[in-house]
């Protein structure tokens, strides 16, 4: 069984993170690649540029954003492929947003957990 967690890119990496994958389409500002300690970058799992710009991390848009992003993920064959390829262990989805509860990594983690069952 795979455990999927999320963590902000600016928080220090930990051995308990397991495999770490950046899930933003853009590299987090001011973060050195060496400091990120990533196992990969799944930028194609991130929301489309248009959806990301529309959302703008505005809390009042989060419910609508989740619905739109889920529609994008269901049309993206890479999401299913990643979920099917998750090995047992821990995977941490790394994101750059400031808000730990209102961001796309929350939604992506939910979808990957659903698909990985």
């Amino acid at each position: 069984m795979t455990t999927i967690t999320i963590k902000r890119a600016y928080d220090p990496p930990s051995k308990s993170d397991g495999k770490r994958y950046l899930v933003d389409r853009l590299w987090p500002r001011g973060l050195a690649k060496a400091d990120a300690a990533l196992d990969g970058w799944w930028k194609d799992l991130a929301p489309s540029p248009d959806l990301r710009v529309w959302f703008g991390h505005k809390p009042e848009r989060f419910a609508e954003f989740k619905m739109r992003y889920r529609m994008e993920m269901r049309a993206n064959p890479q999401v299913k492929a990643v979920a099917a390829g998750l090995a047992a262990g821990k995977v941490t989805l790394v994101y750059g947003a400031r808000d730990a509860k209102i961001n796309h990594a929350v939604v992506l983690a939910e979808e990957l957990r659903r698909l990985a069952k």
Side-chain angles (χ1 to χ4, degrees):
M1 172 130 192
T2 302
T3 302
I4 301 169
T5 61
I6 65 170
K7 188 172 190 177
R8 194 157 185 255
Y10 303 101
D11 293 337
S14 166
K15 289 183 181 183
S16 66
D17 291 342
K19 298 282 188 180
R20 294 170 46 91
Y21 297 96
L22 180 64
V23 294
D24 285 349
R25 193 166 297 275
L26 304 173
W27 189 265
R29 291 180 188 197
L31 181 66
K33 290 187 180 184
D35 294 338
L38 297 172
D39 293 288
W41 186 2
W42 292 341
K43 63 177 130 183
D44 293 332
L45 303 187
S48 66
D50 288 342
L51 181 57
R52 183 181 59 80
V53 169
W54 172 83
F55 173 43
H57 296 280
K58 295 179 181 174
E60 65 273 13
R61 292 186 178 173
F62 191 56
E64 177 73 14
F65 168 79
K66 288 194 313 186
M67 185 184 74
R68 291 182 186 191
Y69 184 33
R70 283 190 176 116
M71 288 183 353
E72 284 187 358
M73 284 190 284
R74 290 185 178 133
N76 183 347
Q78 291 182 348
V79 174
K80 288 180 186 172
V82 164
L86 290 175
K90 188 166 185 183
V91 171
T92 299
L93 307 180
V94 179
Y95 64 93
R98 287 187 181 123
D99 194 315
K101 295 180 182 170
I102 300 176
N103 69 69
H104 76 284
V106 171
V107 184
L108 177 59
E110 289 171 1
E111 188 69 8
L112 289 175
R113 286 183 199 114
R114 185 185 72 78
L115 292 170
K117 287 184 179 180

